[in-house]
Amino acid sequence: MGRGDLTNAEWDRLESFLPLGGARGGRWSDHRRVINGVLYRVRTGVQWRDLPERFGPWETVYKRHRRWSADGTWAMLLSRIQSAEDAVGGIDWDVSVDSTVVRAHQHAAGARKAPARGPSKGDRWGDEPGRSGVEETGSPAGGSGQIGECLGRSRGGFTTKIHLAADGRCRPLALVLTPGHYGDGPQFERVLEQVSVPRTGVGRPRTRPDHVLADKAYTSRKTRRYLRRRGIRHTIPERLDQQRHRKNRGSRGGRPTGFDSERYKKRNTVERAINRLKGFRAVATRYEKRAYIYLGTVTLAALVIWLRT
């Protein structure tokens, strides 16, 4: 077993959730070897063609990652692990929200504006067609141009932004990608809507945190109304210009927002979660042209963090 590969305990937690062979063919190539190959690439950031031979053909590893990014397998595995943790009370539901900018490599540019909806002549989606038990998976809808592929120009240059919510133990609960120049506040509701941890027994998934912490980028009235409507307590500081505007309006300005400075100190958990994600070099620098493949890469990194925390 190489450094960074799945341990026996981690593999035991994942194995039962992995897709079986489809009706039209035989078996997948060994799941554990292929997943370790994807992990090696996500951890080191090497080109797919440079994967060590012990992981098998690089095309098999890459195509498995592309297929599972497209059909939601990585997201499903992350959801199952989160569900198992929640069942034993292992999730701290004091959730923090923030974002981070990721520099896109020059190779991330140049994706076709009209993604193909099916395999081209002489090509196949996945390493073994039909063996995931689903129909052939093309590129998910939404990718078109730089904005559609979550690429933009910001102060950091050619970038993508990762918006995330993290639990109190520094583990990502929800992930959203946008171009690098998009603001944080407008994505707040979208991020919280992605928080959904299924129950292991009967019942709806848990979607409401006990408490939400965020910085001044999320201090809009719209954000606070959304949290009050859902009955979610929150700790978000008020910007100085908002304080001045409220005071200048006198009695019409309303009451000052409540703020617990001691509880706000716990917001560092999302910063630490970002630090853990960026420990994976293929997350810290984006190489993928397609947003859905890069989201699969970030989701796999989050899955590893949950397995090892």
Side-chain angles (χ1 to χ4, degrees), residues 24 27 29 96 113 117 180 216 222:
R24 291 191 294 163
R27 303 176 181 176
S29 296
S96 301
K113 291 186 178 180
R117 295 302 175 188
K216 293 181 181 179
K222 180 181 178 182

Side-chain angles (χ1 to χ4, degrees), residues 5-6 11 14 18 30-40 55 61 64 68 74 77 300 303:
D5 289 354
L6 293 174
W11 172 248
L14 280 181
L18 295 172
D30 181 60
H31 276 319
R32 186 169 184 176
R33 183 181 67 177
V34 173
I35 292 175
N36 283 333
V38 180
L39 281 179
Y40 181 89
F55 300 120
V61 180
R64 188 77 57 84
W68 284 4
W74 293 129
L77 292 174
L300 176 57
L303 173 63

Side-chain angles (χ1 to χ4, degrees), residues 46-62:
V46 301
Q47 294 187 5
W48 290 102
R49 293 175 181 269
D50 295 331
L51 283 176
E53 293 182 359
R54 65 187 178 91
F55 300 120
W58 71 267
E59 297 96 333
T60 298
V61 180
Y62 165 68

Side-chain angles (χ1 to χ4, degrees), residues 54-267:
R54 65 187 178 91
F55 300 120
W58 71 267
E59 297 96 333
T60 298
V61 180
Y62 165 68
K63 290 180 180 179
R64 188 77 57 84
H65 177 55
R66 182 179 67 178
R67 174 184 283 274
W68 284 4
S69 297
D71 66 13
T73 299
W74 293 129
M76 177 272 294
L77 292 174
L78 177 60
S79 179
R80 294 290 182 86
I81 295 300
Q82 290 174 346
S83 177
E85 281 289 307
D86 189 44
V88 296
I91 296 181
D92 183 344
W93 283 97
D94 277 3
V95 173
S96 301
V97 179
D98 205 350
S99 71
T100 184
V101 172
V102 173
R103 188 66 180 265
H105 194 271
Q106 60 184 1
H107 294 167
R112 290 180 298 176
K113 291 186 178 180
R117 295 302 175 188
S120 59
K121 184 176 180 180
D123 191 17
R124 299 179 297 178
W125 290 119
D127 48 349
E128 290 157 341
R131 299 191 181 186
S132 64
V134 297
E135 296 180 357
E136 295 301 316
T137 305
S139 300
S144 179
Q146 287 190 5
I147 298 300
E149 299 299 346
C150 298
L151 292 166
R153 299 285 177 178
S154 66
R155 290 184 179 181
F158 192 44
T159 53
T160 292
K161 184 174 282 189
I162 304 173
H163 305 262
L164 72 154
D167 79 333
R169 297 181 63 187
C170 311
R171 299 173 298 187
L173 279 170
L175 299 162
V176 171
L177 297 185
T178 65
H181 61 280
Y182 277 32
D184 292 354
Q187 308 304 321
F188 180 82
E189 294 184 25
R190 187 179 169 196
V191 172
L192 279 194
E193 293 296 331
Q194 293 293 321
V195 176
S196 180
V197 178
R199 311 284 186 177
T200 55
V202 178
R204 297 179 180 179
R206 175 161 185 176
T207 60
R208 190 170 65 179
D210 291 333
H211 202 97
V212 169
L213 301 99
D215 61 20
K216 293 181 181 179
Y218 302 92
T219 188
S220 67
R221 291 182 178 179
K222 180 181 178 182
T223 296
R224 296 183 189 275
R225 283 198 300 266
Y226 169 77
L227 291 170
R228 285 196 295 268
R229 186 171 68 249
R230 292 191 58 189
I232 301 175
R233 293 175 296 172
H234 56 277
T235 300
I236 304 176
E238 191 178 28
R239 293 199 305 265
L240 293 178
D241 62 327
Q242 291 179 330
Q243 294 177 13
R244 288 194 299 266
H245 180 66
R246 175 172 46 77
K247 292 177 181 178
N248 290 338
R249 297 188 65 189
S251 59
R252 294 178 301 169
R255 298 177 180 178
T257 60
F259 179 71
D260 186 344
S261 58
E262 285 300 316
R263 189 155 200 169
Y264 185 69
K265 293 178 181 179
K266 194 176 180 180
R267 199 192 66 83

Side-chain angles (χ1 to χ4, degrees), residues 92 96 98 164 166-172 265-280 305 309:
D92 183 344
S96 301
D98 205 350
L164 72 154
D167 79 333
R169 297 181 63 187
C170 311
R171 299 173 298 187
K265 293 178 181 179
K266 194 176 180 180
R267 199 192 66 83
N268 70 81
T269 54
V270 69
E271 305 287 355
R272 290 153 61 191
I274 291 171
N275 187 49
R276 288 181 176 181
L277 280 175
K278 287 193 168 181
F280 296 86
I305 290 172
T309 302

